[in-house]
Amino acid sequence: MCKFVILQYPLYIRNKCKKNKSRSICKVHLVGMSSSGGPTPPFTTLSVSRPAETITHVEICRPEKRNAMNKAFWLEMVDCFNQIAEDSECRVVVFSGAGKLFTSGIDLMGMASDILQPEGDDTARISWNVRRVITKYQETFSVIEKCPKPVIVAIHGACIGGGVDLITACDIRLCTQDAWFQVKEVDIGLAADVGTLQRLPRVIGSRSLVNELAFTARKMYADEAKSCGLVSRVFPDKDTMMAGALEMAGEIASKSPVAVQGTKVNLIYSRDHSVPEALHYINTWNMSMLQTQDLMKSAQAAMEKKSLKDITFSKL
């Protein structure tokens, strides 16, 4: 096991290997302390850590505010995932929430000025500014989708409002037995506008169930979330879930980053396009991506019955 300790920002780490007691210093794009250490500078709402060499853990870190999404969060998420997208060390992301629950959703008190007091001299200008604000907020979760690294989200306790927007932009969703989900927006007088109404129908597949959840704002509990396909696994508690998420992330990270990241890009493209268009896209994609040493390394490992964890793939 290797322990990572922050030295300064820009973020550097000291790698202390307990096995051989060797030490080295290397630069990475994102590394941080454990969740108990609070937000990772320069972030004020997020804790970012590197539990393994190729895995980045991002955590909403406002437990005293039930991980409510304030103005800083909406901006920091974009900065964080843009950095992760460019981080050649990172191959997989695990996303979770600190404290007793995943998130209570939008921090209404902290964002009232943007929502209730938009700028503008007349209806057209007010509307234009509201549109600009909503577009900015939409990017907060779209950036997860745009990031080529697979994102595993681990949900415990409540996942309300903006939390549903967030998790539907992730690639793999896990939850604890005590987790529950709520499309809350109709209860506060608005239609969800940062991703739930667009992504949830594609995630669940049942338009009737999506409509029911969106119109009634009722709670959906873990068993129903598993049966309808919102989550793929349910764990008895948070510790077990985080261990499972990291194990899954390790399995993904052991494979060719060319293959994994290309798979994510094409899965999202296929979701939003027709079958002929998606086939044409993967054809063009693999025209170049098949020309990789990773293909030969993976094939050789299969023939030699070796685990991919024993194969070294170059950074991407």
Side-chain angles (χ1 to χ4, degrees):
M1 293 289 291
C2 292
K3 182 179 180 181
F4 298 117
V5 183
I6 280 188
L7 295 182
Q8 60 182 1
Y9 187 86
L11 298 171
Y12 289 81
I13 58 173
R14 183 180 301 276
N15 181 352
K16 293 180 62 179
C17 185
K18 294 181 180 179
K19 186 175 182 180
N20 57 21
K21 297 183 179 180
S22 63
R23 296 187 180 188
S24 61
I25 296 177
C26 57
K27 182 177 180 181
V28 297
H29 294 285
L30 288 168
V31 68
M33 297 178 291
S34 65
S35 60
S36 60
T40 307
F43 303 122
T44 62
T45 66
L46 301 174
S47 172
V48 186
S49 59
R50 184 60 58 78
E53 185 179 356
T54 54
I55 301 171
T56 297
H57 178 207
V58 180
E59 182 179 56
I60 310 178
C61 199
R62 300 187 75 217
E64 74 287 353
K65 297 293 185 180
R66 301 171 69 214
N67 291 332
M69 301 171 176
N70 62 357
K71 283 186 178 181
F73 167 84
W74 296 87
L75 297 173
E76 291 178 1
M77 280 285 290
V78 176
D79 291 341
C80 179
F81 274 88
N82 280 340
Q83 290 183 59
I84 290 173
E86 298 299 322
D87 182 3
S88 61
E89 299 282 349
C90 174
R91 297 185 184 179
V92 188
V93 181
V94 174
F95 194 101
S96 66
K100 296 181 179 180
L101 51 82
F102 182 71
T103 179
S104 58
I106 294 175
D107 185 342
L108 289 174
M109 295 301 294
M111 297 176 63
S113 60
D114 280 353
I115 298 172
L116 302 178
Q117 298 174 331
E119 298 178 357
D121 296 330
D122 57 25
T123 301
R125 287 168 177 80
I126 292 172
S127 299
W128 190 265
N129 285 321
V130 170
R131 180 179 182 273
R132 175 180 53 81
V133 169
I134 293 173
T135 300
K136 180 177 67 175
Y137 290 155
Q138 288 175 342
E139 181 63 14
T140 296
F141 302 137
S142 293
V143 74
I144 299 174
E145 215 169 54
K146 293 175 184 177
C147 177
K149 322 299 171 70
V151 180
I152 302 169
V153 62
I155 306 133
H156 73 291
C159 177
I160 304 170
V164 180
D165 294 296
L166 190 159
I167 67 169
T168 52
C170 297
D171 302 294
I172 298 171
R173 288 166 293 278
L174 314 176
C175 78
T176 56
Q177 189 61 55
D178 70 347
W180 54 274
F181 308 83
Q182 188 175 24
V183 183
K184 184 70 171 174
E185 283 79 359
V186 294
D187 277 352
I188 57 174
L190 59 93
D193 56 8
V194 290
T196 289
L197 302 185
Q198 294 69 40
R199 296 187 177 101
L200 189 59
R202 290 171 166 81
V203 169
I204 289 181
S206 168
R207 177 68 66 168
S208 177
L209 179 57
V210 170
N211 292 348
E212 178 189 342
L213 295 171
F215 293 151
T216 66
R218 75 166 176 86
K219 296 177 181 179
M220 171 190 278
Y221 293 92
D223 289 343
E224 185 181 4
K226 172 69 163 55
S227 66
C228 76
L230 179 60
V231 300
S232 54
R233 296 190 192 180
V234 178
F235 295 84
D237 53 58
K238 185 179 180 182
D239 288 343
T240 307
M241 175 181 65
M242 294 307 300
L246 289 172
E247 181 181 2
M248 183 183 296
E251 185 68 27
I252 295 170
S254 71
K255 305 181 190 304
S256 159
V258 173
V260 171
Q261 294 180 41
T263 296
K264 173 169 179 175
V265 170
N266 278 275
L267 281 170
I268 292 173
Y269 187 92
S270 297
R271 181 198 65 188
D272 299 332
H273 295 79
S274 69
V275 171
E277 288 172 323
L279 286 171
H280 177 73
Y281 190 77
I282 188 64
N283 189 353
T284 305
W285 182 275
N286 268 353
M287 182 172 64
S288 57
M289 291 299 145
L290 286 177
Q291 300 180 65
T292 173
Q293 294 180 354
D294 293 11
L295 188 61
M296 295 303 298
K297 288 180 179 180
S298 299
Q300 185 174 353
M303 289 187 292
E304 296 176 358
K305 297 183 179 179
K306 289 183 178 180
S307 170
L308 289 178
K309 295 179 180 179
D310 297 325
I311 307 300
T312 299
F313 295 107
S314 298
K315 300 174 186 177
L316 182 62

